[in-house]
Amino acid sequence: MNRIVIFTDPHCSPCGMVKKYLANMKDERAKDIEVVSLYDDVKFAFTYGVTTTPILIVINEKGGMLDKIVGGQNITQNIRKILEEYHGKN
């Protein structure tokens, strides 16, 4: 199953906007989005080339990156499309 992960940083204003947006989404699938602090799992982040936040990535079951969206506004504008395209799919 695909994983949708958003990397954040506690000192990043756009990250706070994305987290607030996710918390207020009226979509049950939003609860399956993983929010990971860049500094809590640096190795995981660097595996996918994450060096700034916020970044949303979609990972398939083999660990391959299927999609990447950079920036708070881009993430909030495209999150529903990402859920439609990748949520619950192999």
Side-chain angles (χ1 to χ4, degrees), residues 20-77:
K20 185 175 182 178
Y21 185 85
L22 286 175
N24 291 313
M25 277 184 73
K26 304 285 189 242
D27 189 322
E28 280 295 311
R29 300 171 298 179
K31 69 179 177 1
D32 295 329
I33 297 171
E34 300 173 49
V35 178
V36 177
S37 173
L38 177 65
Y39 302 110
D40 287 345
D41 202 339
V42 174
K43 185 177 177 183
F44 178 48
F46 284 169
T47 298
Y48 295 98
V50 175
T51 57
T52 188
T53 58
I55 292 183
L56 177 148
I57 61 170
V58 181
I59 306 165
N60 68 18
E61 61 190 21
K62 294 181 181 177
M65 185 166 52
L66 302 174
D67 211 334
K68 179 180 191 177
I69 300 176
V70 180
Q73 187 171 3
N74 290 333
I75 292 170
T76 57
Q77 289 176 344

